[in-house]
Amino acid sequence: MTSVKRIIALLFVTFVISCSTNRSATETKPLFEILTVREDGGATIRFFEILSEEREIKMLQNDETLGKKIMGSDINTANFVILNMGEKTSLGHSITVEKVEESPNQIIIFTKDNEPKSKVQEEKEVFYYPYTIVKINSKKEILIQ
């Protein structure tokens, strides 16, 4: 009887081990990742730019902070979007991504301009340039709204 129990236990352990889930190397990445949101350091005019070419993405990799967040393989699997808010006369402004939707042919990014939460006195002759950089884990066409 003891050997039967051992065989059953061995079969049970073998079954449990073989049925356990292993994380696959091909785990799905989120559709988008916010790499940085800054209140200053962007461009003087409002514009959105999509970086999809290798030389453009390598430029981001050279940035001290962003370089740690961008892998070499991202050149083939991701696009990057720079959202510049333009010139502002006080801190507290930002541009954020409200949501990102994926259709069969494209990615649609919905943005929102955020104003300072409290009344901030504007500084004379001092300007700030808020921007956000987003990684889109897709090579589909990107539309920004």
Side-chain angles (χ1 to χ4, degrees):
M1 193 75 160
T2 323
S3 63
V4 172
K5 287 182 181 179
R6 285 185 187 169
I7 293 173
I8 291 173
L10 182 61
L11 289 172
F12 178 76
V13 170
T14 304
F15 175 77
V16 168
I17 291 172
S18 66
C19 291
S20 68
T21 59
N22 292 330
R23 289 192 173 201
S24 166
T26 59
E27 277 187 41
T28 57
K29 293 182 179 182
L31 182 56
F32 73 99
E33 301 170 52
I34 305 297
L35 298 183
T36 189
V37 177
R38 302 229 176 118
E39 291 184 329
D40 196 25
T44 58
I45 60 169
R46 179 181 179 85
F47 72 91
F48 304 143
E49 183 174 3
I50 299 165
L51 307 179
S52 59
E53 295 181 18
E54 183 176 349
R55 65 181 169 76
E56 296 170 325
I57 296 170
K58 285 190 182 244
M59 185 178 65
L60 289 179
Q61 286 178 306
N62 290 333
D63 181 271
E64 198 173 294
T65 306
L66 295 175
K68 298 171 190 169
K69 299 177 181 181
I70 301 172
M71 308 303 289
S73 61
D74 289 338
I75 292 170
N76 300 318
T77 61
N79 287 319
F80 296 84
V81 180
I82 300 174
L83 306 168
N84 275 291
M85 199 170 186
E87 188 174 275
K88 301 297 175 189
T89 56
S90 66
L91 288 172
H93 295 270
S94 65
I95 185 165
T96 56
V97 175
E98 285 198 305
K99 66 180 177 175
V100 176
E101 294 179 352
E102 182 175 22
S103 71
N105 300 321
Q106 61 191 5
I107 305 291
I108 304 168
I109 301 173
F110 296 88
T111 64
K112 179 182 178 188
D113 290 357
N114 300 301
E115 302 295 323
K117 293 186 191 244
S118 61
K119 288 272 185 182
V120 178
Q121 184 168 345
E122 294 183 359
E123 300 177 39
K124 293 182 181 183
E125 311 235 359
V126 177
F127 300 99
Y128 302 95
Y129 309 96
Y131 71 98
T132 298
I133 299 180
V134 183
K135 175 182 173 186
I136 303 294
N137 290 309
S138 173
K139 283 296 201 177
K140 293 180 181 179
E141 176 189 13
I142 296 175
L143 298 175
I144 302 169
Q145 296 190 355

